[in-house]
Short mmCIF file of all heavy atoms in Angstrom, two decimals:
data_model
loop_
_atom_site.label_atom_id
_atom_site.label_comp_id
_atom_site.label_asym_id
_atom_site.label_seq_id
_atom_site.Cartn_x
_atom_site.Cartn_y
_atom_site.Cartn_z
N MET A 79 5.68 -12.40 18.67
CA MET A 79 5.79 -12.71 20.10
C MET A 79 4.93 -13.92 20.42
O MET A 79 3.73 -13.94 20.14
CB MET A 79 5.33 -11.49 20.92
CG MET A 79 4.87 -11.82 22.33
SD MET A 79 6.17 -11.83 23.54
CE MET A 79 6.11 -10.14 24.11
N LEU A 80 5.55 -14.91 21.00
CA LEU A 80 4.79 -16.04 21.52
C LEU A 80 4.62 -15.83 23.02
O LEU A 80 5.60 -15.57 23.74
CB LEU A 80 5.55 -17.36 21.28
CG LEU A 80 4.95 -18.58 21.98
CD1 LEU A 80 3.61 -18.95 21.38
CD2 LEU A 80 5.91 -19.74 21.92
N SER A 81 3.38 -15.91 23.48
CA SER A 81 3.10 -15.68 24.89
C SER A 81 2.26 -16.82 25.44
O SER A 81 1.24 -17.19 24.86
CB SER A 81 2.35 -14.35 25.03
OG SER A 81 2.33 -13.94 26.36
N VAL A 82 2.71 -17.38 26.54
CA VAL A 82 1.98 -18.45 27.22
C VAL A 82 1.62 -17.95 28.61
O VAL A 82 2.47 -17.40 29.31
CB VAL A 82 2.84 -19.73 27.33
CG1 VAL A 82 2.12 -20.81 28.11
CG2 VAL A 82 3.22 -20.24 25.95
N ASN A 83 0.36 -18.15 28.97
CA ASN A 83 -0.09 -17.64 30.27
C ASN A 83 -0.83 -18.71 31.06
O ASN A 83 -1.84 -19.25 30.59
CB ASN A 83 -1.03 -16.44 30.07
CG ASN A 83 -0.29 -15.23 29.56
OD1 ASN A 83 0.61 -14.73 30.21
ND2 ASN A 83 -0.66 -14.78 28.38
N GLY A 84 -0.33 -19.00 32.26
CA GLY A 84 -1.04 -19.85 33.21
C GLY A 84 -1.31 -21.25 32.72
O GLY A 84 -2.40 -21.79 32.95
N LEU A 85 -0.32 -21.85 32.08
CA LEU A 85 -0.52 -23.18 31.49
C LEU A 85 -0.41 -24.28 32.55
O LEU A 85 0.58 -24.38 33.28
CB LEU A 85 0.54 -23.41 30.40
CG LEU A 85 0.55 -24.77 29.73
CD1 LEU A 85 -0.77 -25.08 29.06
CD2 LEU A 85 1.69 -24.84 28.72
N ASN A 86 -1.46 -25.10 32.62
CA ASN A 86 -1.46 -26.30 33.46
C ASN A 86 -1.75 -27.49 32.56
O ASN A 86 -2.68 -27.45 31.76
CB ASN A 86 -2.53 -26.21 34.55
CG ASN A 86 -2.12 -25.30 35.68
OD1 ASN A 86 -1.33 -25.67 36.54
ND2 ASN A 86 -2.63 -24.07 35.67
N GLN A 87 -0.95 -28.54 32.70
CA GLN A 87 -1.14 -29.73 31.86
C GLN A 87 -0.97 -30.97 32.71
O GLN A 87 -0.10 -31.04 33.58
CB GLN A 87 -0.13 -29.72 30.71
CG GLN A 87 -0.41 -30.74 29.61
CD GLN A 87 0.14 -32.12 29.92
OE1 GLN A 87 1.02 -32.28 30.76
NE2 GLN A 87 -0.37 -33.12 29.24
N ARG A 88 -1.83 -31.96 32.45
CA ARG A 88 -1.77 -33.23 33.18
C ARG A 88 -1.81 -34.39 32.21
O ARG A 88 -2.50 -34.32 31.20
CB ARG A 88 -2.97 -33.38 34.13
CG ARG A 88 -3.04 -32.34 35.22
CD ARG A 88 -4.35 -32.48 36.02
NE ARG A 88 -4.47 -31.42 37.02
CZ ARG A 88 -4.90 -30.19 36.75
NH1 ARG A 88 -5.28 -29.87 35.54
NH2 ARG A 88 -4.96 -29.28 37.70
N TYR A 89 -1.06 -35.44 32.54
CA TYR A 89 -1.26 -36.73 31.89
C TYR A 89 -2.10 -37.55 32.88
O TYR A 89 -1.55 -38.04 33.88
CB TYR A 89 0.07 -37.43 31.64
CG TYR A 89 0.95 -36.76 30.59
CD1 TYR A 89 2.11 -36.10 30.96
CD2 TYR A 89 0.62 -36.83 29.24
CE1 TYR A 89 2.93 -35.49 30.00
CE2 TYR A 89 1.42 -36.23 28.28
CZ TYR A 89 2.57 -35.57 28.67
OH TYR A 89 3.37 -34.98 27.72
N GLY A 90 -3.38 -37.63 32.64
CA GLY A 90 -4.25 -38.30 33.61
C GLY A 90 -4.22 -37.55 34.94
O GLY A 90 -4.52 -36.36 34.99
N GLU A 91 -3.83 -38.24 36.01
CA GLU A 91 -3.78 -37.59 37.32
C GLU A 91 -2.39 -37.04 37.63
O GLU A 91 -2.16 -36.49 38.70
CB GLU A 91 -4.20 -38.59 38.41
CG GLU A 91 -5.67 -38.99 38.29
CD GLU A 91 -6.11 -39.85 39.46
OE1 GLU A 91 -5.30 -40.09 40.37
OE2 GLU A 91 -7.27 -40.29 39.45
N SER A 92 -1.46 -37.21 36.70
CA SER A 92 -0.09 -36.76 36.92
C SER A 92 0.11 -35.39 36.28
O SER A 92 0.12 -35.25 35.05
CB SER A 92 0.88 -37.77 36.31
OG SER A 92 2.20 -37.30 36.38
N GLN A 93 0.24 -34.35 37.12
CA GLN A 93 0.41 -33.00 36.60
C GLN A 93 1.86 -32.75 36.23
O GLN A 93 2.79 -33.03 37.00
CB GLN A 93 -0.06 -31.95 37.61
CG GLN A 93 0.01 -30.54 37.03
CD GLN A 93 -0.94 -29.57 37.69
OE1 GLN A 93 -1.72 -29.94 38.56
NE2 GLN A 93 -0.89 -28.32 37.26
N THR A 94 2.06 -32.21 35.03
CA THR A 94 3.41 -31.99 34.49
C THR A 94 3.79 -30.51 34.52
O THR A 94 4.91 -30.15 34.90
CB THR A 94 3.50 -32.51 33.05
OG1 THR A 94 3.06 -33.86 33.03
CG2 THR A 94 4.92 -32.44 32.54
N LEU A 95 2.88 -29.64 34.09
CA LEU A 95 3.15 -28.20 34.05
C LEU A 95 2.21 -27.50 35.01
O LEU A 95 1.00 -27.72 34.99
CB LEU A 95 2.95 -27.66 32.63
CG LEU A 95 3.78 -28.34 31.52
CD1 LEU A 95 3.42 -27.76 30.16
CD2 LEU A 95 5.28 -28.20 31.80
N TRP A 96 2.79 -26.65 35.86
CA TRP A 96 2.03 -25.91 36.87
C TRP A 96 2.09 -24.42 36.57
O TRP A 96 3.16 -23.79 36.70
CB TRP A 96 2.61 -26.12 38.27
CG TRP A 96 2.28 -27.40 38.95
CD1 TRP A 96 1.26 -27.65 39.84
CD2 TRP A 96 3.01 -28.63 38.83
NE1 TRP A 96 1.32 -28.94 40.26
CE2 TRP A 96 2.37 -29.57 39.67
CE3 TRP A 96 4.13 -29.02 38.11
CZ2 TRP A 96 2.83 -30.87 39.79
CZ3 TRP A 96 4.57 -30.31 38.22
CH2 TRP A 96 3.92 -31.22 39.05
N ASP A 97 0.96 -23.84 36.19
CA ASP A 97 0.82 -22.38 36.10
C ASP A 97 2.01 -21.74 35.38
O ASP A 97 2.61 -20.78 35.87
CB ASP A 97 0.68 -21.82 37.52
CG ASP A 97 -0.18 -20.58 37.55
OD1 ASP A 97 -0.91 -20.34 36.57
OD2 ASP A 97 -0.11 -19.85 38.55
N LEU A 98 2.34 -22.30 34.22
CA LEU A 98 3.56 -21.88 33.51
C LEU A 98 3.27 -20.70 32.58
O LEU A 98 2.32 -20.72 31.81
CB LEU A 98 4.09 -23.07 32.70
CG LEU A 98 5.44 -22.89 32.01
CD1 LEU A 98 6.12 -24.24 31.86
CD2 LEU A 98 5.31 -22.21 30.66
N SER A 99 4.11 -19.67 32.69
CA SER A 99 4.01 -18.52 31.79
C SER A 99 5.37 -18.24 31.19
O SER A 99 6.40 -18.31 31.89
CB SER A 99 3.51 -17.28 32.54
OG SER A 99 2.21 -17.50 33.05
N ILE A 100 5.41 -17.92 29.90
CA ILE A 100 6.67 -17.62 29.22
C ILE A 100 6.38 -16.71 28.04
O ILE A 100 5.34 -16.84 27.39
CB ILE A 100 7.37 -18.93 28.75
CG1 ILE A 100 8.73 -18.61 28.13
CG2 ILE A 100 6.51 -19.73 27.80
CD1 ILE A 100 9.54 -19.86 27.79
N ASP A 101 7.29 -15.77 27.77
CA ASP A 101 7.21 -14.93 26.59
C ASP A 101 8.42 -15.20 25.72
O ASP A 101 9.55 -15.27 26.23
CB ASP A 101 7.19 -13.44 26.97
CG ASP A 101 5.87 -13.03 27.60
OD1 ASP A 101 4.85 -13.67 27.28
OD2 ASP A 101 5.88 -12.07 28.39
N ALA A 102 8.21 -15.37 24.43
CA ALA A 102 9.30 -15.55 23.47
C ALA A 102 9.18 -14.42 22.45
O ALA A 102 8.36 -14.50 21.52
CB ALA A 102 9.20 -16.92 22.81
N PRO A 103 9.97 -13.36 22.60
CA PRO A 103 9.83 -12.19 21.73
C PRO A 103 10.21 -12.48 20.28
O PRO A 103 11.12 -13.28 20.02
CB PRO A 103 10.80 -11.17 22.35
CG PRO A 103 11.07 -11.66 23.74
CD PRO A 103 10.97 -13.15 23.67
N LYS A 104 9.51 -11.86 19.37
CA LYS A 104 9.80 -11.99 17.94
C LYS A 104 11.22 -11.48 17.67
O LYS A 104 11.65 -10.47 18.24
CB LYS A 104 8.79 -11.16 17.15
CG LYS A 104 8.90 -11.31 15.65
CD LYS A 104 7.78 -10.54 14.96
CE LYS A 104 7.87 -10.70 13.45
NZ LYS A 104 6.79 -9.94 12.76
N GLY A 105 11.96 -12.19 16.81
CA GLY A 105 13.29 -11.75 16.41
C GLY A 105 14.39 -12.14 17.39
O GLY A 105 15.55 -11.78 17.20
N GLN A 106 14.02 -12.85 18.45
CA GLN A 106 15.02 -13.30 19.41
C GLN A 106 14.99 -14.82 19.50
O GLN A 106 14.01 -15.46 19.14
CB GLN A 106 14.76 -12.70 20.80
CG GLN A 106 14.92 -11.19 20.85
CD GLN A 106 14.83 -10.66 22.27
OE1 GLN A 106 15.10 -11.36 23.23
NE2 GLN A 106 14.45 -9.40 22.39
N CYS A 107 16.09 -15.37 19.98
CA CYS A 107 16.18 -16.81 20.16
C CYS A 107 15.85 -17.14 21.61
O CYS A 107 16.52 -16.65 22.53
CB CYS A 107 17.59 -17.29 19.81
SG CYS A 107 17.82 -19.06 20.03
N THR A 108 14.81 -17.94 21.82
CA THR A 108 14.40 -18.33 23.17
C THR A 108 14.66 -19.83 23.34
O THR A 108 14.28 -20.63 22.48
CB THR A 108 12.92 -18.02 23.41
OG1 THR A 108 12.71 -16.62 23.25
CG2 THR A 108 12.49 -18.45 24.81
N VAL A 109 15.33 -20.19 24.42
CA VAL A 109 15.71 -21.58 24.65
C VAL A 109 15.01 -22.11 25.90
O VAL A 109 14.95 -21.42 26.92
CB VAL A 109 17.25 -21.69 24.83
CG1 VAL A 109 17.66 -23.13 25.10
CG2 VAL A 109 17.96 -21.14 23.61
N VAL A 110 14.46 -23.31 25.79
CA VAL A 110 13.86 -23.98 26.96
C VAL A 110 14.86 -25.01 27.46
O VAL A 110 15.24 -25.92 26.73
CB VAL A 110 12.54 -24.65 26.57
CG1 VAL A 110 11.93 -25.37 27.77
CG2 VAL A 110 11.56 -23.61 26.02
N MET A 111 15.30 -24.85 28.68
CA MET A 111 16.30 -25.74 29.26
C MET A 111 15.77 -26.38 30.53
O MET A 111 14.95 -25.81 31.23
CB MET A 111 17.58 -24.96 29.60
CG MET A 111 18.24 -24.29 28.42
SD MET A 111 19.67 -23.31 28.89
CE MET A 111 20.80 -24.59 29.38
N GLY A 112 16.26 -27.57 30.83
CA GLY A 112 15.88 -28.22 32.07
C GLY A 112 16.30 -29.68 32.05
O GLY A 112 16.54 -30.25 30.99
N ARG A 113 16.32 -30.28 33.23
CA ARG A 113 16.75 -31.67 33.35
C ARG A 113 15.76 -32.61 32.65
O ARG A 113 14.64 -32.21 32.32
CB ARG A 113 16.90 -32.05 34.82
CG ARG A 113 15.60 -31.96 35.59
CD ARG A 113 15.72 -32.53 36.99
NE ARG A 113 14.57 -32.22 37.81
CZ ARG A 113 13.37 -32.76 37.67
NH1 ARG A 113 13.13 -33.64 36.72
NH2 ARG A 113 12.38 -32.40 38.46
N ASN A 114 16.17 -33.85 32.48
CA ASN A 114 15.32 -34.86 31.85
C ASN A 114 13.99 -34.98 32.61
O ASN A 114 13.97 -35.06 33.83
CB ASN A 114 15.99 -36.24 31.85
CG ASN A 114 17.23 -36.28 30.97
OD1 ASN A 114 18.27 -36.75 31.38
ND2 ASN A 114 17.12 -35.79 29.77
N GLY A 115 12.90 -34.97 31.84
CA GLY A 115 11.59 -35.20 32.42
C GLY A 115 10.94 -34.00 33.06
O GLY A 115 9.88 -34.11 33.68
N VAL A 116 11.56 -32.82 32.91
CA VAL A 116 11.00 -31.64 33.59
C VAL A 116 9.76 -31.09 32.86
O VAL A 116 8.97 -30.35 33.45
CB VAL A 116 12.09 -30.56 33.76
CG1 VAL A 116 12.32 -29.78 32.46
CG2 VAL A 116 11.75 -29.61 34.89
N GLY A 117 9.62 -31.44 31.56
CA GLY A 117 8.42 -31.03 30.85
C GLY A 117 8.65 -30.19 29.60
O GLY A 117 7.70 -29.57 29.09
N LYS A 118 9.85 -30.20 29.05
CA LYS A 118 10.16 -29.38 27.87
C LYS A 118 9.32 -29.82 26.66
O LYS A 118 8.70 -28.99 25.99
CB LYS A 118 11.66 -29.48 27.52
CG LYS A 118 12.58 -29.07 28.67
CD LYS A 118 14.03 -29.23 28.30
CE LYS A 118 14.47 -30.67 28.03
NZ LYS A 118 14.41 -31.52 29.26
N THR A 119 9.33 -31.11 26.37
CA THR A 119 8.56 -31.62 25.23
C THR A 119 7.08 -31.42 25.45
O THR A 119 6.34 -31.03 24.54
CB THR A 119 8.88 -33.12 25.01
OG1 THR A 119 10.26 -33.25 24.67
CG2 THR A 119 8.03 -33.71 23.89
N THR A 120 6.62 -31.63 26.67
CA THR A 120 5.21 -31.42 27.00
C THR A 120 4.81 -29.97 26.77
O THR A 120 3.74 -29.68 26.22
CB THR A 120 4.94 -31.82 28.47
OG1 THR A 120 5.27 -33.19 28.64
CG2 THR A 120 3.49 -31.58 28.86
N LEU A 121 5.68 -29.03 27.14
CA LEU A 121 5.41 -27.61 26.92
C LEU A 121 5.26 -27.33 25.42
O LEU A 121 4.28 -26.70 25.00
CB LEU A 121 6.54 -26.76 27.50
CG LEU A 121 6.51 -25.28 27.13
CD1 LEU A 121 5.24 -24.60 27.60
CD2 LEU A 121 7.75 -24.57 27.68
N LEU A 122 6.21 -27.80 24.63
CA LEU A 122 6.17 -27.52 23.19
C LEU A 122 4.97 -28.19 22.52
O LEU A 122 4.31 -27.60 21.66
CB LEU A 122 7.48 -27.94 22.53
CG LEU A 122 8.69 -27.13 23.01
CD1 LEU A 122 9.97 -27.65 22.37
CD2 LEU A 122 8.52 -25.65 22.71
N GLN A 123 4.66 -29.41 22.93
CA GLN A 123 3.50 -30.09 22.36
C GLN A 123 2.19 -29.40 22.76
O GLN A 123 1.24 -29.37 21.99
CB GLN A 123 3.49 -31.56 22.78
CG GLN A 123 4.60 -32.36 22.10
CD GLN A 123 4.57 -33.82 22.47
OE1 GLN A 123 4.08 -34.20 23.53
NE2 GLN A 123 5.10 -34.65 21.59
N SER A 124 2.17 -28.84 23.95
CA SER A 124 0.98 -28.10 24.40
C SER A 124 0.81 -26.83 23.57
O SER A 124 -0.29 -26.48 23.14
CB SER A 124 1.10 -27.73 25.88
OG SER A 124 1.15 -28.89 26.68
N ILE A 125 1.92 -26.12 23.32
CA ILE A 125 1.86 -24.90 22.52
C ILE A 125 1.41 -25.22 21.10
O ILE A 125 0.62 -24.48 20.50
CB ILE A 125 3.25 -24.20 22.51
CG1 ILE A 125 3.56 -23.64 23.90
CG2 ILE A 125 3.28 -23.09 21.45
CD1 ILE A 125 4.98 -23.12 24.05
N MET A 126 1.88 -26.34 20.56
CA MET A 126 1.53 -26.72 19.19
C MET A 126 0.13 -27.28 19.07
O MET A 126 -0.35 -27.55 17.96
CB MET A 126 2.53 -27.75 18.65
CG MET A 126 3.90 -27.14 18.38
SD MET A 126 4.99 -28.30 17.54
CE MET A 126 5.38 -29.44 18.87
N GLY A 127 -0.54 -27.51 20.20
CA GLY A 127 -1.89 -28.04 20.16
C GLY A 127 -1.95 -29.55 20.03
O GLY A 127 -3.01 -30.10 19.72
N LEU A 128 -0.84 -30.22 20.26
CA LEU A 128 -0.81 -31.68 20.14
C LEU A 128 -1.27 -32.36 21.42
O LEU A 128 -1.57 -33.55 21.41
CB LEU A 128 0.61 -32.15 19.79
CG LEU A 128 1.16 -31.64 18.46
CD1 LEU A 128 2.58 -32.13 18.25
CD2 LEU A 128 0.26 -32.08 17.31
N LEU A 129 -1.28 -31.63 22.52
CA LEU A 129 -1.75 -32.16 23.79
C LEU A 129 -2.89 -31.32 24.32
O LEU A 129 -2.90 -30.09 24.14
CB LEU A 129 -0.61 -32.15 24.83
CG LEU A 129 0.49 -33.18 24.69
CD1 LEU A 129 1.57 -32.91 25.74
CD2 LEU A 129 -0.04 -34.59 24.84
N LYS A 130 -3.81 -31.97 24.99
CA LYS A 130 -4.90 -31.26 25.66
C LYS A 130 -4.33 -30.54 26.88
O LYS A 130 -3.55 -31.13 27.64
CB LYS A 130 -5.97 -32.26 26.09
CG LYS A 130 -7.09 -31.69 26.93
CD LYS A 130 -8.02 -32.80 27.40
CE LYS A 130 -8.97 -32.31 28.48
NZ LYS A 130 -8.29 -31.89 29.72
N ILE A 131 -4.69 -29.28 27.06
CA ILE A 131 -4.26 -28.57 28.27
C ILE A 131 -5.48 -28.34 29.16
O ILE A 131 -6.61 -28.28 28.68
CB ILE A 131 -3.55 -27.24 27.94
CG1 ILE A 131 -4.48 -26.29 27.20
CG2 ILE A 131 -2.30 -27.49 27.14
CD1 ILE A 131 -3.88 -24.91 27.02
N ASP A 132 -5.21 -28.22 30.45
CA ASP A 132 -6.30 -28.07 31.40
C ASP A 132 -6.67 -26.62 31.61
O ASP A 132 -7.83 -26.27 31.74
CB ASP A 132 -5.90 -28.72 32.74
CG ASP A 132 -5.68 -30.20 32.56
OD1 ASP A 132 -6.68 -30.93 32.46
OD2 ASP A 132 -4.51 -30.62 32.49
N GLU A 133 -5.66 -25.75 31.65
CA GLU A 133 -5.89 -24.32 31.82
C GLU A 133 -4.78 -23.58 31.12
O GLU A 133 -3.68 -24.12 30.93
CB GLU A 133 -5.86 -23.93 33.32
CG GLU A 133 -6.97 -24.55 34.14
CD GLU A 133 -6.68 -24.45 35.64
OE1 GLU A 133 -5.51 -24.29 36.01
OE2 GLU A 133 -7.63 -24.55 36.40
N GLY A 134 -5.04 -22.33 30.78
CA GLY A 134 -4.02 -21.49 30.19
C GLY A 134 -4.26 -21.26 28.71
O GLY A 134 -5.15 -21.86 28.10
N ARG A 135 -3.45 -20.35 28.13
CA ARG A 135 -3.60 -20.03 26.71
C ARG A 135 -2.27 -19.60 26.14
O ARG A 135 -1.38 -19.14 26.86
CB ARG A 135 -4.65 -18.97 26.49
CG ARG A 135 -4.40 -17.67 27.23
CD ARG A 135 -5.58 -16.72 27.09
NE ARG A 135 -5.83 -16.44 25.69
CZ ARG A 135 -7.05 -16.22 25.19
NH1 ARG A 135 -8.10 -16.27 25.97
NH2 ARG A 135 -7.22 -15.94 23.92
N SER A 136 -2.13 -19.74 24.82
CA SER A 136 -0.90 -19.30 24.15
C SER A 136 -1.27 -18.64 22.83
O SER A 136 -2.39 -18.81 22.34
CB SER A 136 0.05 -20.45 23.89
OG SER A 136 -0.52 -21.37 23.00
N1 LIG B 423 2.47 -39.60 27.18
C1 LIG B 423 2.78 -39.48 28.48
N2 LIG B 423 1.99 -40.03 29.43
C2 LIG B 423 2.27 -39.89 30.73
N3 LIG B 423 3.33 -39.22 31.24
C3 LIG B 423 4.14 -38.64 30.33
C4 LIG B 423 3.91 -38.75 28.92
N4 LIG B 423 4.91 -38.06 28.28
C5 LIG B 423 5.70 -37.58 29.25
N5 LIG B 423 5.26 -37.94 30.48
C6 LIG B 423 5.88 -37.55 31.77
O1 LIG B 423 5.78 -36.13 31.86
C7 LIG B 423 6.97 -35.59 32.43
C8 LIG B 423 7.58 -34.59 31.46
O2 LIG B 423 8.04 -35.30 30.32
P1 LIG B 423 8.65 -34.56 29.06
O3 LIG B 423 8.86 -35.62 28.03
O4 LIG B 423 7.81 -33.39 28.68
O5 LIG B 423 10.04 -34.03 29.64
P2 LIG B 423 11.32 -33.47 28.87
O6 LIG B 423 11.77 -32.27 29.64
O7 LIG B 423 11.00 -33.27 27.43
O8 LIG B 423 12.35 -34.66 29.07
P3 LIG B 423 13.66 -35.04 28.19
O9 LIG B 423 14.75 -34.10 28.59
O10 LIG B 423 13.95 -36.44 28.59
O11 LIG B 423 13.28 -34.92 26.73
C9 LIG B 423 7.87 -36.78 32.75
O12 LIG B 423 7.66 -37.12 34.12
C10 LIG B 423 7.35 -37.87 31.83
O13 LIG B 423 7.58 -39.16 32.39
MG1 LIG B 424 11.85 -34.04 25.62
#
């Protein structure tokens, strides 16, 4: 199970993710969908530890 709780992420003064929480259960396929620029790549990079996050944990 991948669990993200209360994730906030900013690029400088520009906030991208606001208080984001998501659960991805083991053995299931979880898809992140959204329009261009909504923050999908930022979310995945935050989970992987490639980006500094301001608050939250996974
Ligand atoms: N390195 C960066 N510095 C500053 N702002 C960024 C940076 N990377 C992304 N952004 C901004 O953060 C927001 C989210 O971008 P992100 O790339 O996570 O969206 P996305 O959902 O993956 O978009 P796409 O569907 O185009 O792949 C956008 O407004 C983008 O312009
Ligand atoms: Mg992307």
Side-chain angles (χ1 to χ4, degrees):
M79 157 87 92
L80 171 68
S81 193
V82 176
N83 290 299
L85 176 59
N86 284 282
Q87 192 276 341
R88 297 174 184 81
Y89 292 109
E91 294 186 2
S92 174
Q93 185 155 357
T94 307
L95 303 177
W96 282 265
D97 212 17
L98 187 153
S99 298
I100 184 174
D101 288 332
K104 186 175 181 180
Q106 295 187 25
C107 179
T108 300
V109 179
V110 178
M111 300 176 69
R113 62 171 169 72
N114 294 132
V116 79
K118 303 178 296 294
T119 297
T120 300
L121 170 60
L122 295 178
Q123 290 182 334
S124 297
I125 291 171
M126 289 188 287
L128 298 178
L129 286 175
K130 174 185 168 296
I131 61 173
D132 297 284
E133 295 165 339
R135 57 187 302 147
S136 64

